[in-house]
Amino acid sequence: MRIAVCPGSFDPVTNGHIDIFERASTMFDLIIVAVFHNPNKKPLFSMEERAELLSISTRHITNIRIDAFSGLLNEYVKQQNSNIIVRGLRALSDFEYEFQRALLIKKIDPVIETVFMMTSSEYSFLSSSGIKELAKFGGPIKGLVPSCVETRIRQRMAEM
């Protein structure tokens, strides 16, 4: 069984993320979308909320599992009986960052491979931070995130 791990903070999940999951699901037997805590970011949603929103947003993908973790990615990948990491890329700047991360993981764990998938052009401008900024100022996010995520973001912004 070919298992791939798609790690990320997914705060919030965007339609660009969903596009990568859908396309990766045709290449692997199981896709594990793994929400992780990024200490360099201030999250809008807790890890549990992000996992819940991912579960709702990916119900149509039959070979996907949502999980959450903290710690080293290479160790998590091995715990999942995988050696494949899938990363989505939007721009050259993403590649530079992700390439360095992939090389570091390869150095400490040579059996792990990173597969880069280019985002569909219709989502190349999307980022979670951009969505949060738009929402913070009341901008339109419809069509950029799954509808359940849009609703939850609007609720969270009203609470703030």
Side-chain angles (χ1 to χ4, degrees), residues 41-59:
K41 295 182 179 181
K42 184 179 179 197
L44 181 63
F45 297 109
S46 70
M47 285 179 67
E48 294 78 17
E49 289 172 311
R50 288 179 269 159
E52 176 193 3
L53 289 170
L54 278 161
S55 292
I56 295 166
S57 301
T58 59
R59 282 187 178 147

Side-chain angles (χ1 to χ4, degrees), residues 24-39:
S25 75
T26 67
M27 300 166 56
F28 301 98
D29 299 311
L30 176 64
I31 300 294
I32 302 172
V33 175
V35 179
F36 72 91
H37 170 69
N38 185 337

Side-chain angles (χ1 to χ4, degrees), residues 5-10 32-36 69 73 85-87 101:
V5 175
C6 295
S9 52
F10 308 114
I32 302 172
V33 175
V35 179
F36 72 91
F69 80 100
L73 178 57
I85 299 169
V86 173
R87 301 295 293 180
R101 289 181 63 191

Side-chain angles (χ1 to χ4, degrees), residues 87-122:
R87 301 295 293 180
L89 300 175
R90 293 169 302 189
L92 189 58
S93 57
D94 284 351
F95 176 76
E96 195 171 334
Y97 174 75
E98 295 296 345
F99 184 65
Q100 288 177 345
R101 289 181 63 191
L103 288 175
L104 178 60
I105 288 173
K106 193 72 163 163
K107 179 69 176 171
I108 61 174
D109 207 327
V111 300
I112 295 180
E113 297 292 344
T114 301
V115 175
F116 296 114
M117 293 184 69
M118 297 304 299
T119 188
S120 296
S121 60
E122 64 189 291

